[in-house]
Amino acid sequence: MKSVTYEGMTFDEYISKQEIEQIVQDVASRIAADYEDKHPILICVLHGAMFFLTDLMRALPIDCTVATVHLQSYDGTSSTGQVRENVPLRVDIRDRDVIVVEDIVDSGITMHYFKQILRARQPRTVKVVSLLSKPSELQYPDAKPDYCGREIPKKFVIGYGFDIHEYARNLPEIYALREN
Ligand code: IMP
Ligand code: MG
């Protein structure tokens, strides 16, 4: 099994490149079926969702546009319980069908908070697609992703966009922190 070490912690391969590709294709097919002719705007939540966004967008055979926002709720391996909007969304989403592209929904505070910001800007619809989610940790029911690639148990993951103090995003696979 492949393993990597960051900050003295060991992480074991958890989701392979091939499995990630399969998950992305599957989510893309579901979205394409629901959004044909709707010209949705994909809002990428930086930085975690950047690889998922680019792979998902290339797998979508429909007309769509993209925008970015930088939200931050995690510090290291745990949630701070607060959401910071480091770089706000700068495009007009009025009457648009919005799809928020997120890396992972954990407690749900990030999506709960961001959906409120979006609704105030009067989009036609807002849905969330998340590569992963941790259902056992969800504290904000309205943050449950409309499209979820894979549900995982309570684990801290890195790679394919997921970071530990901003490092490890560039690993092609997803790794989970080894439990002692
Ligand atoms: P939530 O706001 O508690 O739902 O947490 C969501 C955000 O925390 C995501 O956008 C991620 O950036 C970050 N996050 C949650 N779990 C993990 C993880 O296991 N690895 C890396 N980042 C995570
Ligand atoms: Mg994030």
Side-chain angles (χ1 to χ4, degrees):
M1 197 200 308
K2 276 194 263 184
S3 300
V4 292
T5 304
Y6 286 87
E7 300 184 11
M9 290 177 274
T10 306
F11 296 79
D12 300 311
E13 186 176 334
Y14 185 55
I15 307 180
S16 70
K17 252 170 94 167
Q18 275 177 332
E19 284 173 298
I20 294 170
E21 275 170 33
Q22 194 59 53
I23 291 169
V24 173
Q25 285 299 330
D26 172 64
V27 171
S29 311
R30 287 190 272 151
I31 293 175
D34 293 349
Y35 283 87
E36 211 185 348
D37 303 324
K38 292 204 167 131
H39 297 237
I41 177 166
L42 307 179
I43 300 182
C44 177
V45 182
L46 294 172
H47 295 105
M50 59 200 242
F51 296 98
F52 179 40
L53 179 279
T54 54
D55 286 343
L56 176 68
M57 204 168 172
R58 279 178 292 195
L60 280 177
I62 59 170
D63 290 324
C64 54
T65 64
V66 67
T68 57
V69 63
H70 182 199
L71 306 177
Q72 194 172 2
S73 68
Y74 252 61
D75 183 25
T77 59
S78 57
S79 177
T80 61
Q82 286 181 334
V83 182
R84 285 199 315 217
E85 199 177 358
N86 289 348
V87 184
L89 182 70
R90 298 197 195 279
V91 295
D92 185 12
I93 56 166
R94 185 181 290 260
D95 296 327
R96 296 289 305 270
D97 288 302
V98 170
I99 304 175
V100 181
V101 182
E102 177 61 308
D103 53 0
I104 190 161
V105 175
D106 186 342
S107 72
I109 190 171
T110 306
M111 281 305 102
H112 169 76
Y113 167 88
F114 190 48
K115 280 168 104 172
Q116 285 178 358
I117 295 180
L118 291 175
R119 281 203 204 93
R121 298 169 69 163
Q122 301 176 336
R124 207 173 77 82
T125 61
V126 177
K127 288 202 174 174
V128 174
V129 54
S130 189
L131 177 66
L132 304 179
S133 75
K134 302 181 195 172
S136 66
E137 304 309 296
L138 192 69
Q139 288 175 38
Y140 297 84
D142 69 326
K144 188 175 188 287
D146 300 281
Y147 304 89
C148 176
R150 159 102 63 106
E151 294 186 343
I152 65 166
K154 183 181 183 189
K155 279 178 183 296
F156 182 73
V157 295
I158 58 170
Y160 192 68
F162 295 102
D163 73 302
I164 173 143
H165 288 133
E166 296 298 325
Y167 286 93
R169 294 193 196 276
N170 53 326
L171 296 170
E173 308 83 14
I174 294 173
Y175 293 77
L177 180 61
R178 190 182 292 176
E179 318 276 345
N180 293 312

